């Protein structure tokens, strides 16, 4: 006669219940959005195959990407701080020796950002493969196989190869140059030693430091509340560009960027205050005032000497 066994008495397949606590359905931690599974430890954890049908996989990967992007944002804030430090040193003494150390910190921050960008790209590739039907039996191993070669390739490049076409480094060098010079900044390659594996770049276009214009294209005077367009990257005085957008809306016409040659159509949501640029504009105005005062003092000295010669 068959004996009916209740589900409570039925033995559980796999490890003994006494050695491994029973697993329950995954729960999402409210604080960090990560899934936790009751009863799992480092010793009992096992990789699971994931595929398109694994509902939590893509959201978790997206969460990881968002966290990495937050770190990148903080790194970019740090880049501005490093640049401001270098400017202050250059202002205190031209070619101040410790600027080299500050520049190295700038390079490290650029490297960290690039490595995080690589990681985000790998995660994006994995997500796309999952959506295409790919299954990963060991997601950690697959991630490393994709990311490590890209990271190694980047880190193996010379400084010139890594930073020659970097807009941030060009801005860094231009900001330093304009502290004590009135001429255009030389190409950034002047400060980047060529590596032994770099191919000849004599025929390449060499990116020069950008000569920053601190005048609003609308008011034609120095920035007030410097504001940058997220669409085209051009800069304006805050009140002036907002007035331009409002005027265009009232006239039912597109609010085009006022910079010559730019066809971007702007909205107020595209405009972001740029306090770092405003600070540089204020410093530029201070340096120009100092240079003007020095020129006037020089003219007065010459005039006094001429008067003494007349006697």
């Amino acid at each position: 006669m068959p004996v009916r066994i209740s589900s409570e008495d039925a033995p559980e397949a796999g490890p003994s219940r006494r050695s491994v606590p029973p697993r329950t359905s995954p729960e999402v931690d409210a604080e960090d959005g990560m899934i936790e599974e009751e009863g799992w430890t480092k010793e009992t954890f096992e990789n699971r195959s994931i595929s398109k049908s694994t509902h939590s996989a893509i959201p978790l990967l997206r969460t990881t990407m968002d966290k990495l992007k937050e770190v990148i944002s903080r790194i970019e804030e740090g880049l501005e701080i490093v640049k401001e430090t270098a400017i202050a040193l250059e202002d205190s003494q031209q070619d101040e020796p410790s600027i080299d150390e500050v520049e190295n910190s700038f390079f490290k921050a650029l490297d960290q950002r690039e490595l995080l960008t690589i990681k985000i790209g790998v995660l994006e590739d994995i997500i796309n493969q999952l959506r295409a039907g790919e299954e990963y039996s060991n997601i950690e191993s697959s991630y490393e196989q994709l990311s490590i070669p890209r990271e190694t390739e980047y880190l193996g490049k010379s400084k010139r190869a890594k930073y020659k076409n970097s807009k941030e480094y060009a801005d860094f060098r231009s900001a330093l140059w304009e502290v004590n010079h009135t001429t255009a900044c030389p190409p950034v390659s002047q400060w980047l030693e060529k590596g032994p594996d770099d191919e000849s770049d004599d025929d390449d276009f060499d990116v020069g430091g950008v000569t920053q214009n601190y005048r609003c294209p609308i008011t034609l005077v120095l920035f007030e509340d410097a504001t940058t367009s997220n669409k085209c990257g051009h800069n304006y005085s805050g009140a002036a560009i907002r007035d331009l957008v409002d005027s265009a809306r009232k006239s039912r016409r597109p609010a085009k960027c006022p910079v010559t040659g730019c066809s971007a159509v702007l909205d107020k949501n595209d405009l972001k205050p740029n306090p770092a640029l405003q600070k540089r504009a204020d410093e530029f105005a201070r340096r120009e005032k100092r240079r003007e005062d020095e020129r006037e003092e020089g003219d007065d000295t010459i005039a006094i000497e001429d008067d003494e010669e007349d006697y």
Side-chain angles (χ1 to χ4, degrees), residues 27-41:
E27 296 181 357
V28 177
D29 187 280
E31 183 175 348
D32 60 14
M34 301 298 289
I35 287 181
E36 294 182 350
E37 192 152 355
E38 185 179 344
W40 274 15
T41 67

Side-chain angles (χ1 to χ4, degrees), residues 187-233:
V188 295
S189 59
Q190 173 173 314
W191 294 280
L192 297 172
E193 184 177 355
K194 194 172 182 179
D197 297 329
D198 289 341
E199 297 179 358
S200 174
D201 56 2
D202 294 339
D203 298 328
D204 291 347
F205 177 75
D206 201 356
V207 177
V210 179
T211 302
Q212 179 69 60
N213 182 359
Y214 296 107
R215 295 185 181 276
C216 173
I218 303 171
T219 65
L220 303 181
V221 297
L222 293 178
F223 292 132
E224 295 181 7
D225 181 26
T227 300
T228 300
S229 163
N230 289 333
K231 276 192 175 178
C232 59

Side-chain angles (χ1 to χ4, degrees), residues 265-302:
V265 176
L266 306 179
D267 184 85
K268 282 188 176 180
N269 293 330
D270 304 322
L271 305 175
K272 181 180 179 181
N274 192 334
L277 178 60
Q278 183 61 54
K279 183 176 181 178
R280 288 178 61 184
D282 294 341
E283 291 170 347
F284 172 80
R286 177 179 57 80
R287 289 194 297 270
E288 287 297 293
K289 178 66 167 57
R290 183 181 64 194
R291 288 168 182 158
E292 182 63 28
D293 291 344
E294 290 172 352
R295 283 194 292 268
E296 290 180 358
E297 290 176 2
D299 292 342
D300 291 342
T301 301
I302 293 174

Side-chain angles (χ1 to χ4, degrees), residues 299-311:
D299 292 342
D300 291 342
T301 301
I302 293 174
I304 293 172
E305 291 176 350
D306 290 342
D307 291 341
E308 290 176 348
E309 288 178 0
D310 292 339
Y311 288 105

Side-chain angles (χ1 to χ4, degrees), residues 63-215:
T63 298
T64 303
M65 291 172 62
D66 290 340
K67 290 182 179 296
L68 293 178
K69 289 176 182 178
E70 290 175 7
V71 177
I72 287 178
S73 295
R74 292 196 290 272
I75 288 175
E76 289 175 344
E77 292 172 1
L79 285 170
E80 284 297 324
I81 295 173
V82 173
K83 182 165 63 177
E84 290 174 7
T85 301
I87 291 171
L89 290 170
E90 179 70 10
D91 197 26
S92 66
Q93 177 185 335
Q94 186 172 349
D95 298 326
E96 217 281 341
S98 59
I99 289 178
D100 290 341
E101 297 179 12
V102 177
E103 182 182 55
N104 285 331
S105 297
F106 196 83
F107 288 150
K108 289 179 181 178
L110 289 177
D111 289 345
Q112 290 172 354
R113 187 184 66 175
E114 182 62 25
L115 293 175
L116 289 173
T117 301
I118 289 173
K119 295 180 188 297
I120 291 172
V122 169
L123 293 174
E124 187 69 53
D125 290 344
I126 290 175
I127 289 174
N128 291 335
Q129 289 300 313
L130 286 171
R131 287 175 172 164
E134 183 78 19
E135 181 174 330
Y136 290 92
S137 59
N138 188 326
I139 188 65
E140 182 180 1
S141 175
S142 298
Y143 170 81
E144 291 177 350
Q145 288 174 8
L146 290 171
S147 63
I148 291 178
R150 301 181 194 184
E151 294 171 354
T152 302
E153 179 185 5
Y154 173 77
L155 293 174
K157 294 180 179 179
S158 68
K159 285 185 177 180
R160 176 176 288 208
K162 287 193 286 188
Y163 313 125
K164 179 182 175 182
N165 296 316
S166 167
K167 179 181 180 300
E168 288 81 5
Y169 184 61
D171 289 344
F172 175 86
R173 270 296 158 191
S174 294
L176 290 184
W177 182 263
E178 67 185 23
V179 171
N180 290 301
H181 303 84
T182 56
T183 57
C185 180
V188 295
S189 59
Q190 173 173 314
W191 294 280
L192 297 172
E193 184 177 355
K194 194 172 182 179
D197 297 329
D198 289 341
E199 297 179 358
S200 174
D201 56 2
D202 294 339
D203 298 328
D204 291 347
F205 177 75
D206 201 356
V207 177
V210 179
T211 302
Q212 179 69 60
N213 182 359
Y214 296 107
R215 295 185 181 276

